[in-house]
Amino acid sequence: VHGELFSCFFLRCSAIMSKGVNEDVPLYKKIIFSGISGAIATTCIYPVDITKTKLMNQSSVGEARLYRGPWHCGTSIYRQEGIRGLYRGWPPNVLLVMPEKAIKLTMNDVFRKYFRERRPNKDLPFHLEMAAGGLAGLCQVVMTNPMELLKIQGATVSEKLKSGELKEFKGYGALCRDLGATGLYTGVLSTLARDIPFSMIYFALYAQTRDWLLKQDGNQAGSTQYLGVKAFLAGAVAGTTAAAVTCPVDVLKTRVHSQAVPQKLSWNAFMAREINLLSTNFTSLIQKEGASALFKGVVPRCLIVSPLFAITMTCYEK
């Protein structure tokens, strides 16, 4: 079913993209389309995302290791909790992914335009493509952190109830009220440490790969012939690469987000807690589980990011 959804959505996007070269898509339409495409793609790959979250959050030490791998994890969740278990944390995630993707893609375009206009030849070298992507990643964290924190809280609620860490299940509205602003931005340093380098790698590699693919048919980089297909391929290549490289920070971020607790803190106390959470989780993971634990869930992470960004970029391009 998911494959058919991806295929139908991709073919429809390709048909839209194949229209004339001179069509000028207004910015507001790009923002709306990027948000909707992100929501659809997120819904399709969400069970894989839950699998990745569970794998990253579990300890590899002793009996605490519940899942042997991605397939065992996914099937175990389905057997124990049904389809609902595979979509825990989906409501806030799909709502917040729309503005998150809109911010990420739009700000990357804004910064690329800003850098290009200040170049004598109006070109954009690779290091400036990376700078534009990194700044876009910085901007998106305002939505990314609460979105992913709520997703991870939802994904790990069954384990917390069993262990006695939670006394009762709370809805997402109640959870937001309890956590407050400082609680919802728990782990923001680890999110920044993941999203800035991810966006630097992703957007620069995407632009280079897309332009290279377009030139293979003798077209200029600005041509839109087969742009839908080539944007999809470039998005998949760039997404897989960026996801694999930033996986260690994603593991740390997942551990930190699962530890979010209601706290009202001053700015100094908030930053001190953030630094302590990041350093403590890193030290504990390396000492107890080894460096290999930093790449837990790398396969499902790549399987998530690759189609998610491939579809989103296909829809966002002309």
Side-chain angles (χ1 to χ4, degrees):
V1 175
H2 290 167
E4 291 173 359
L5 286 171
F6 272 95
S7 299
C8 292
F9 189 63
F10 172 64
L11 290 172
R12 177 58 181 160
C13 292
S14 298
I16 293 170
M17 304 301 171
S18 64
K19 294 181 179 180
V21 173
N22 297 320
E23 286 192 355
D24 185 18
V25 180
L27 181 62
Y28 79 91
K29 287 188 177 180
K30 281 192 170 186
I31 292 172
I32 293 171
F33 205 9
S34 61
I36 293 173
S37 62
I40 293 173
T42 296
T43 301
C44 292
I45 54 83
Y46 198 79
V48 185
D49 198 5
I50 283 293
T51 299
K52 178 215 74 168
T53 300
K54 295 270 193 180
L55 287 172
M56 286 184 172
N57 193 57
Q58 77 166 353
S59 171
S60 298
V61 182
E63 297 179 358
R65 190 170 181 266
L66 299 174
Y67 308 114
R68 296 191 297 270
W71 178 256
H72 179 251
C73 180
T75 53
S76 296
I77 295 169
Y78 182 75
R79 283 196 304 269
Q80 294 170 14
E81 303 179 57
I83 195 69
R84 173 180 281 187
L86 293 171
Y87 277 89
R88 286 199 182 279
W90 174 83
N93 202 63
V94 78
L95 287 175
L96 293 174
V97 79
M98 291 189 280
E100 186 243 12
K101 286 291 177 284
I103 292 171
K104 188 186 190 84
L105 300 178
T106 304
M107 293 310 297
N108 179 63
D109 275 0
V110 168
F111 288 121
R112 285 174 65 90
K113 182 180 179 182
Y114 174 84
F115 289 137
R116 184 178 283 113
E117 287 177 347
R118 281 153 181 78
R119 296 280 297 176
N121 300 324
K122 304 300 180 186
D123 61 335
L124 196 65
F126 190 74
H127 71 279
L128 288 182
E129 289 183 335
M130 292 187 72
L135 289 168
L138 175 65
C139 293
Q140 78 169 75
V141 169
V142 67
M143 297 303 301
T144 303
N145 203 84
M147 174 188 76
E148 296 204 359
L149 185 143
L150 290 172
K151 176 195 73 179
I152 291 166
Q153 289 284 316
T156 58
V157 68
S158 58
E159 287 86 351
K160 289 179 178 179
L161 287 170
K162 289 177 183 176
S163 66
E165 187 177 342
L166 280 180
K167 301 301 181 185
E168 60 180 357
F169 175 79
K170 290 185 178 181
Y172 294 108
L175 186 59
C176 288
R177 288 192 297 272
D178 287 349
L179 288 173
T182 52
L184 285 170
Y185 281 92
T186 297
V188 69
L189 284 185
S190 54
T191 305
L192 286 168
R194 181 200 64 176
D195 285 356
I196 291 176
F198 177 93
S199 296
M200 290 174 69
I201 297 167
Y202 177 79
F203 282 114
L205 186 56
Y206 168 78
Q208 295 288 324
T209 306
R210 178 201 58 194
D211 291 349
W212 181 82
L213 288 170
L214 288 170
K215 289 176 181 177
Q216 297 312 297
D217 293 330
N219 299 321
Q220 296 298 316
S223 170
T224 58
Q225 186 176 8
Y226 305 119
L227 180 55
V229 175
K230 293 180 179 181
F232 186 89
L233 293 174
V237 170
T240 301
T241 305
V245 171
T246 57
C247 186
V249 192
D250 195 33
V251 172
L252 290 173
K253 181 199 68 65
T254 300
R255 299 286 179 98
V256 171
H257 277 176
S258 69
Q259 298 167 14
V261 293
Q263 281 184 311
K264 293 182 179 179
L265 303 171
S266 66
W267 171 253
N268 289 337
F270 174 77
M271 292 306 298
R273 182 194 66 175
E274 287 298 299
I275 294 169
N276 180 64
L277 279 170
L278 191 56
S279 61
T280 301
N281 276 277
F282 176 76
T283 304
S284 175
L285 187 145
I286 294 297
Q287 289 178 348
K288 295 180 180 179
E289 303 176 53
S292 61
L294 290 169
F295 286 92
K296 277 185 176 182
V298 65
V299 173
R301 173 164 164 76
C302 290
L303 290 175
I304 294 161
V305 172
S306 179
L308 176 62
F309 279 89
I311 291 174
T312 303
M313 293 310 296
T314 301
C315 298
Y316 188 69
E317 293 281 11
K318 285 186 179 179

